[in-house]
Amino acid sequence: MNYQKIKGLITATFSPFDSKSQLDLGIIPAYAEHLKKNGVVGAFINGTTGEGASLTLSEKKALTAAWAPYNSEDFKVIAMVSGTSQAEGIELAAFAQEQGIYGISSNAPFYVKPGSVESLTDFLKPIAAAAPNLAFYFYHIPLLTQVNLSMVRLLDVAGTKIPSFAGIKYTHTDLMEFNQCLRHQNSKFDILWGWDEMLLAGLAMGAKGGVGSTYNYAAPLYQKIIQAFEEKDLNKALALQEKSIDIIAHYSQFGGAVAGKAILKFCGINCGDFRSPGNQLSETKREELKEALDRIGFFQLSDSV
């Protein structure tokens, strides 16, 4: 399969819910416009940020269909299609191909865990085969799946057995392995960096594309990090990365990832709250978060960075 290596930022999108925790697909047009306005080059839907593990099969299909019209050469839509169920992954992959998006992704099963790269590839292969025309990315996030196999070895095995295998969404902090993956087989594969607060480290190790949740509301900041790095102004790049770190540091104080949805709401896109057992923010806490962000200059980012 011919696929394009992604250069730039792909946003890991939130799933929009209404006050009753049901999908609110009416948000998607404004959401997509918001992302495009901020210069990101695509959307990674139904993943960790999108609460994919809490979505039903029909909801995942509905979100894929809602995002599909925005897929283009300049804005690639990639859908997470599997976490633990291979059968569901096959069905969702086939549906994604029908919708005409750019790519699909699957992480390692995190309940009954594969014990080898070969076992993992056997799980992934039928899923990818259900959408042979779409780029297939393995989503490596061992912090959550507790599956930490060799990604270099996966490139050899899955890269041989899965014709549509494009690369890896690499959400891990092993910078040495990340660089090895980038250079493997003469840089054949697309290895996307997935750790927002360490983007500069990823760039230093060779990253050209990244997928992240904070690109929902701070993409201009990260684009300036990339620009400063490319211009070899490392002091500026580090200062900008530190702004990202200061923003993300508030997550732990305000309920974890739910803070990200709250910040996006401050930017005009209301995706509701996280589903149970995700934490919810009270109005008081939302105001405290807003004041904390204001103190570090978040709302002036476009002017100050």
Side-chain angles (χ1 to χ4, degrees):
M1 172 188 172
N2 293 321
Y3 62 86
Q4 302 172 2
K5 286 189 177 181
I6 294 170
K7 183 176 181 180
L9 305 176
I10 298 279
T11 298
T13 57
F14 296 105
S15 291
F17 298 129
D18 61 21
S19 61
K20 296 181 179 179
S21 198
Q22 299 301 304
L23 283 183
D24 185 2
L25 299 179
I27 296 293
I28 301 298
Y31 197 173
E33 182 60 29
H34 165 79
L35 297 181
K36 291 182 178 183
K37 182 180 178 181
N38 283 331
V40 301
V41 298
F44 187 95
I45 68 172
N46 300 345
T48 304
T49 302
E51 302 175 75
S54 299
L55 299 173
T56 67
L57 175 62
S58 61
E59 287 174 329
K60 292 174 186 177
K61 286 185 175 181
L63 280 162
T64 302
W67 278 101
Y70 303 97
N71 185 76
S72 69
E73 184 74 16
D74 299 322
F75 190 86
K76 295 175 171 60
V77 176
I78 301 172
M80 183 81 164
V81 297
S82 179
T84 58
S85 170
Q86 186 187 68
E88 180 175 285
I90 291 169
E91 184 171 343
L92 284 170
F95 182 79
Q97 179 159 295
E98 291 172 3
Q99 297 302 306
I101 64 174
Y102 175 75
I104 57 173
S105 181
S106 178
N107 59 234
F110 47 82
Y111 192 74
V112 179
K113 299 177 177 63
S116 68
V117 164
E118 289 74 14
S119 177
L120 175 58
T121 300
D122 287 343
F123 174 82
L124 300 174
K125 185 177 178 180
I127 297 171
N133 297 330
L134 304 189
F136 180 84
Y137 288 86
F138 175 64
Y139 182 2
H140 184 49
I141 185 166
L143 179 67
L144 295 183
T145 64
Q146 298 298 302
V147 176
N148 193 10
L149 302 170
S150 168
M151 290 298 98
V152 176
R153 174 72 177 153
L154 182 72
L155 293 178
D156 282 331
V157 177
T160 299
K161 293 186 176 181
I162 300 175
S164 59
F165 189 86
I168 299 170
K169 177 184 182 292
Y170 195 95
T171 306
H172 190 31
T173 56
D174 188 339
L175 288 161
M176 186 180 88
E177 184 185 57
F178 175 71
N179 177 264
Q180 289 175 311
C181 289
L182 282 170
R183 294 185 290 116
H184 197 60
Q185 295 187 26
N186 295 315
S187 302
K188 175 181 178 180
F189 299 100
D190 192 17
I191 312 298
L192 301 172
W193 182 249
W195 211 280
D196 307 16
E197 56 268 52
M198 292 177 61
L199 176 62
L200 181 57
L203 293 171
M205 282 295 179
K208 301 298 181 185
V211 181
S213 63
T214 59
Y215 307 156
N216 273 289
Y217 52 78
L221 170 62
Y222 292 99
Q223 287 157 353
K224 288 180 171 64
I225 293 173
I226 295 170
Q227 180 181 359
F229 177 80
E230 291 177 344
E231 293 175 352
K232 297 181 172 57
D233 190 344
L234 296 185
N235 288 332
K236 181 178 181 181
L238 178 57
L240 293 168
Q241 183 70 82
E242 289 168 351
K243 287 180 179 288
S244 156
I245 291 170
D246 289 345
I247 294 168
I248 295 170
H250 287 86
Y251 272 43
S252 61
Q253 302 172 45
F254 292 93
V258 67
K261 269 193 169 181
I263 297 171
L264 184 60
K265 183 177 179 180
F266 298 153
C267 297
I269 305 297
N270 183 6
C271 286
D273 290 316
F274 269 68
R275 280 183 168 170
S276 179
N279 295 320
Q280 310 301 319
L281 279 184
S282 66
E283 286 304 314
T284 298
K285 281 294 183 181
R286 288 180 193 275
E287 285 304 311
E288 290 178 7
L289 173 60
K290 190 172 185 179
E291 291 170 4
L293 292 171
D294 194 33
R295 285 195 295 271
I296 62 172
F298 169 76
F299 298 104
Q300 292 77 42
L301 276 176
S302 60
D303 299 323
S304 61
V305 297

